[in-house]
Short mmCIF file of all heavy atoms in Angstrom, two decimals:
data_model
loop_
_atom_site.label_atom_id
_atom_site.label_comp_id
_atom_site.label_asym_id
_atom_site.label_seq_id
_atom_site.Cartn_x
_atom_site.Cartn_y
_atom_site.Cartn_z
N THR U 426 -14.51 -15.44 11.25
CA THR U 426 -13.92 -14.53 10.26
C THR U 426 -12.44 -14.28 10.57
O THR U 426 -12.07 -14.05 11.72
CB THR U 426 -14.67 -13.19 10.25
OG1 THR U 426 -16.04 -13.43 9.92
CG2 THR U 426 -14.07 -12.24 9.23
N VAL U 427 -11.63 -14.31 9.51
CA VAL U 427 -10.21 -13.94 9.61
C VAL U 427 -10.08 -12.49 9.15
O VAL U 427 -10.47 -12.14 8.03
CB VAL U 427 -9.34 -14.85 8.73
CG1 VAL U 427 -7.89 -14.37 8.75
CG2 VAL U 427 -9.43 -16.29 9.20
N ALA U 428 -9.55 -11.64 10.01
CA ALA U 428 -9.43 -10.22 9.68
C ALA U 428 -8.34 -10.00 8.63
O ALA U 428 -7.33 -10.71 8.63
CB ALA U 428 -9.11 -9.43 10.93
N PRO U 429 -8.53 -9.01 7.74
CA PRO U 429 -7.50 -8.74 6.72
C PRO U 429 -6.27 -8.09 7.33
O PRO U 429 -6.36 -7.39 8.34
CB PRO U 429 -8.21 -7.79 5.76
CG PRO U 429 -9.22 -7.08 6.61
CD PRO U 429 -9.69 -8.11 7.61
N ALA U 430 -5.14 -8.31 6.71
CA ALA U 430 -3.90 -7.66 7.16
C ALA U 430 -3.94 -6.19 6.81
O ALA U 430 -4.56 -5.78 5.81
CB ALA U 430 -2.70 -8.32 6.48
N LYS U 431 -3.30 -5.39 7.63
CA LYS U 431 -3.18 -3.95 7.36
C LYS U 431 -1.73 -3.66 6.95
O LYS U 431 -0.80 -3.99 7.69
CB LYS U 431 -3.56 -3.15 8.59
CG LYS U 431 -5.03 -3.29 8.98
CD LYS U 431 -5.36 -2.46 10.21
CE LYS U 431 -6.83 -2.60 10.57
NZ LYS U 431 -7.18 -1.84 11.81
N VAL U 432 -1.58 -3.07 5.78
CA VAL U 432 -0.26 -2.83 5.20
C VAL U 432 0.00 -1.34 5.06
O VAL U 432 -0.85 -0.61 4.53
CB VAL U 432 -0.13 -3.52 3.83
CG1 VAL U 432 1.22 -3.20 3.19
CG2 VAL U 432 -0.31 -5.03 3.96
N LEU U 433 1.16 -0.89 5.51
CA LEU U 433 1.59 0.49 5.33
C LEU U 433 2.79 0.50 4.40
O LEU U 433 3.79 -0.16 4.65
CB LEU U 433 1.98 1.13 6.67
CG LEU U 433 2.60 2.54 6.60
CD1 LEU U 433 1.59 3.54 6.04
CD2 LEU U 433 3.09 2.98 7.98
N VAL U 434 2.69 1.26 3.30
CA VAL U 434 3.79 1.39 2.34
C VAL U 434 4.43 2.76 2.55
O VAL U 434 3.74 3.79 2.46
CB VAL U 434 3.30 1.24 0.90
CG1 VAL U 434 4.45 1.44 -0.09
CG2 VAL U 434 2.67 -0.14 0.69
N LEU U 435 5.71 2.77 2.83
CA LEU U 435 6.43 4.03 3.07
C LEU U 435 7.23 4.39 1.82
O LEU U 435 8.21 3.71 1.48
CB LEU U 435 7.35 3.89 4.28
CG LEU U 435 6.61 3.64 5.61
CD1 LEU U 435 6.58 2.15 5.94
CD2 LEU U 435 7.27 4.39 6.76
N GLY U 436 6.79 5.42 1.14
CA GLY U 436 7.39 5.82 -0.12
C GLY U 436 6.51 5.38 -1.27
O GLY U 436 6.31 4.17 -1.48
N ALA U 437 5.96 6.33 -2.01
CA ALA U 437 5.01 5.99 -3.08
C ALA U 437 5.61 6.30 -4.45
O ALA U 437 4.98 6.92 -5.30
CB ALA U 437 3.70 6.75 -2.89
N GLY U 438 6.86 5.85 -4.64
CA GLY U 438 7.46 5.92 -5.96
C GLY U 438 7.05 4.70 -6.76
O GLY U 438 6.01 4.09 -6.50
N VAL U 439 7.87 4.31 -7.72
CA VAL U 439 7.53 3.16 -8.57
C VAL U 439 7.37 1.89 -7.74
O VAL U 439 6.39 1.17 -7.87
CB VAL U 439 8.61 2.97 -9.66
CG1 VAL U 439 8.34 1.70 -10.45
CG2 VAL U 439 8.64 4.17 -10.60
N ALA U 440 8.35 1.60 -6.88
CA ALA U 440 8.28 0.39 -6.06
C ALA U 440 7.10 0.45 -5.10
O ALA U 440 6.38 -0.54 -4.91
CB ALA U 440 9.58 0.20 -5.29
N GLY U 441 6.89 1.60 -4.50
CA GLY U 441 5.81 1.76 -3.54
C GLY U 441 4.44 1.57 -4.16
O GLY U 441 3.56 0.91 -3.59
N LEU U 442 4.23 2.16 -5.32
CA LEU U 442 2.94 2.03 -5.99
C LEU U 442 2.66 0.58 -6.39
O LEU U 442 1.53 0.10 -6.28
CB LEU U 442 2.88 2.95 -7.21
CG LEU U 442 2.88 4.46 -6.90
CD1 LEU U 442 2.99 5.27 -8.19
CD2 LEU U 442 1.60 4.86 -6.14
N GLN U 443 3.69 -0.12 -6.84
CA GLN U 443 3.48 -1.53 -7.18
C GLN U 443 3.23 -2.35 -5.92
O GLN U 443 2.42 -3.29 -5.94
CB GLN U 443 4.70 -2.08 -7.93
CG GLN U 443 4.54 -3.50 -8.42
CD GLN U 443 3.35 -3.69 -9.32
OE1 GLN U 443 2.37 -4.35 -8.95
NE2 GLN U 443 3.40 -3.11 -10.51
N ALA U 444 3.88 -1.99 -4.82
CA ALA U 444 3.63 -2.68 -3.55
C ALA U 444 2.18 -2.47 -3.10
O ALA U 444 1.53 -3.41 -2.63
CB ALA U 444 4.60 -2.18 -2.48
N ILE U 445 1.69 -1.25 -3.27
CA ILE U 445 0.29 -0.96 -2.92
C ILE U 445 -0.65 -1.83 -3.75
O ILE U 445 -1.56 -2.48 -3.23
CB ILE U 445 -0.03 0.53 -3.16
CG1 ILE U 445 0.72 1.41 -2.16
CG2 ILE U 445 -1.55 0.78 -3.05
CD1 ILE U 445 0.70 2.89 -2.51
N ALA U 446 -0.42 -1.84 -5.06
CA ALA U 446 -1.29 -2.60 -5.96
C ALA U 446 -1.26 -4.09 -5.63
O ALA U 446 -2.30 -4.77 -5.63
CB ALA U 446 -0.86 -2.37 -7.41
N THR U 447 -0.08 -4.61 -5.31
CA THR U 447 0.06 -6.04 -5.01
C THR U 447 -0.61 -6.39 -3.69
O THR U 447 -1.31 -7.41 -3.58
CB THR U 447 1.55 -6.43 -4.96
OG1 THR U 447 2.16 -6.09 -6.21
CG2 THR U 447 1.72 -7.92 -4.71
N ALA U 448 -0.41 -5.55 -2.67
CA ALA U 448 -1.05 -5.80 -1.38
C ALA U 448 -2.57 -5.75 -1.50
O ALA U 448 -3.29 -6.53 -0.86
CB ALA U 448 -0.55 -4.77 -0.36
N LYS U 449 -3.08 -4.82 -2.32
CA LYS U 449 -4.53 -4.75 -2.55
C LYS U 449 -5.02 -6.03 -3.22
O LYS U 449 -6.09 -6.55 -2.88
CB LYS U 449 -4.87 -3.53 -3.40
CG LYS U 449 -4.72 -2.19 -2.71
CD LYS U 449 -5.78 -1.99 -1.60
CE LYS U 449 -7.17 -1.87 -2.17
NZ LYS U 449 -8.17 -1.63 -1.10
N ARG U 450 -4.27 -6.52 -4.20
CA ARG U 450 -4.67 -7.76 -4.89
C ARG U 450 -4.74 -8.93 -3.93
O ARG U 450 -5.55 -9.85 -4.12
CB ARG U 450 -3.68 -8.09 -6.01
CG ARG U 450 -3.69 -7.15 -7.19
CD ARG U 450 -2.83 -7.71 -8.32
NE ARG U 450 -2.45 -6.67 -9.27
CZ ARG U 450 -1.27 -6.11 -9.36
NH1 ARG U 450 -0.30 -6.49 -8.55
NH2 ARG U 450 -1.01 -5.18 -10.24
N LEU U 451 -3.88 -8.91 -2.92
CA LEU U 451 -3.87 -9.99 -1.94
C LEU U 451 -4.93 -9.80 -0.86
O LEU U 451 -5.03 -10.62 0.06
CB LEU U 451 -2.49 -10.11 -1.30
CG LEU U 451 -1.36 -10.60 -2.21
CD1 LEU U 451 -0.04 -10.61 -1.48
CD2 LEU U 451 -1.68 -12.00 -2.75
N GLY U 452 -5.69 -8.71 -0.95
CA GLY U 452 -6.81 -8.52 -0.04
C GLY U 452 -6.53 -7.74 1.21
O GLY U 452 -7.36 -7.69 2.13
N ALA U 453 -5.37 -7.09 1.30
CA ALA U 453 -5.02 -6.32 2.50
C ALA U 453 -5.69 -4.95 2.49
O ALA U 453 -6.09 -4.44 1.44
CB ALA U 453 -3.51 -6.17 2.60
N ILE U 454 -5.78 -4.36 3.66
CA ILE U 454 -6.18 -2.96 3.79
C ILE U 454 -4.89 -2.15 3.74
O ILE U 454 -3.99 -2.35 4.57
CB ILE U 454 -6.92 -2.71 5.11
CG1 ILE U 454 -8.23 -3.51 5.14
CG2 ILE U 454 -7.20 -1.22 5.31
CD1 ILE U 454 -8.93 -3.47 6.48
N VAL U 455 -4.79 -1.23 2.79
CA VAL U 455 -3.50 -0.59 2.51
C VAL U 455 -3.55 0.92 2.72
O VAL U 455 -4.52 1.59 2.32
CB VAL U 455 -3.05 -0.87 1.06
CG1 VAL U 455 -1.64 -0.32 0.82
CG2 VAL U 455 -3.08 -2.37 0.76
N SER U 456 -2.51 1.44 3.34
CA SER U 456 -2.29 2.88 3.43
C SER U 456 -0.86 3.15 3.01
O SER U 456 -0.02 2.25 2.97
CB SER U 456 -2.55 3.41 4.85
OG SER U 456 -1.75 2.72 5.79
N ALA U 457 -0.57 4.40 2.66
CA ALA U 457 0.77 4.74 2.19
C ALA U 457 1.11 6.16 2.58
O ALA U 457 0.23 7.01 2.75
CB ALA U 457 0.86 4.58 0.67
N THR U 458 2.41 6.41 2.71
CA THR U 458 2.88 7.75 3.04
C THR U 458 4.03 8.15 2.12
O THR U 458 4.78 7.31 1.64
CB THR U 458 3.34 7.83 4.51
OG1 THR U 458 3.75 9.16 4.82
CG2 THR U 458 4.49 6.88 4.78
N ASP U 459 4.12 9.45 1.85
CA ASP U 459 5.18 10.00 1.01
C ASP U 459 5.27 11.48 1.31
O ASP U 459 4.29 12.09 1.75
CB ASP U 459 4.86 9.78 -0.48
CG ASP U 459 6.10 9.91 -1.37
OD1 ASP U 459 6.55 11.07 -1.57
OD2 ASP U 459 6.59 8.90 -1.86
N VAL U 460 6.45 12.08 1.09
CA VAL U 460 6.61 13.51 1.35
C VAL U 460 6.09 14.36 0.19
O VAL U 460 5.95 15.57 0.31
CB VAL U 460 8.09 13.87 1.64
CG1 VAL U 460 8.58 13.12 2.87
CG2 VAL U 460 8.97 13.58 0.43
N ARG U 461 5.81 13.73 -0.96
CA ARG U 461 5.40 14.48 -2.15
C ARG U 461 3.88 14.50 -2.28
O ARG U 461 3.26 13.45 -2.41
CB ARG U 461 6.01 13.84 -3.40
CG ARG U 461 7.53 13.78 -3.41
CD ARG U 461 8.04 12.81 -4.48
NE ARG U 461 7.51 11.47 -4.26
CZ ARG U 461 7.09 10.66 -5.23
NH1 ARG U 461 7.12 11.06 -6.49
NH2 ARG U 461 6.63 9.46 -4.94
N PRO U 462 3.26 15.68 -2.27
CA PRO U 462 1.80 15.76 -2.40
C PRO U 462 1.28 15.11 -3.68
O PRO U 462 0.16 14.60 -3.70
CB PRO U 462 1.54 17.27 -2.41
CG PRO U 462 2.71 17.88 -1.74
CD PRO U 462 3.88 17.01 -2.10
N VAL U 463 2.10 15.13 -4.75
CA VAL U 463 1.66 14.57 -6.02
C VAL U 463 1.36 13.08 -5.89
O VAL U 463 0.59 12.51 -6.69
CB VAL U 463 2.73 14.81 -7.11
CG1 VAL U 463 3.97 13.97 -6.85
CG2 VAL U 463 2.18 14.50 -8.50
#
């Protein structure tokens, strides 16, 4: 088995959210951080 990549996205604005979606599509395990609770 090849383990999935773990991706951290820093900043969940427009670019960050698209990065999250793209990394998920590629099969990575994704986490993200932002200063805004929203």
Side-chain angles (χ1 to χ4, degrees):
T426 301
V427 175
K431 294 180 179 178
V432 176
L433 173 64
V434 178
L435 296 97
V439 174
L442 292 173
Q443 185 57 249
I445 292 168
T447 303
K449 288 292 293 182
R450 291 189 200 105
L451 292 178
I454 296 172
V455 186
S456 56
T458 182
D459 198 287
V460 299
R461 301 165 301 140
V463 69

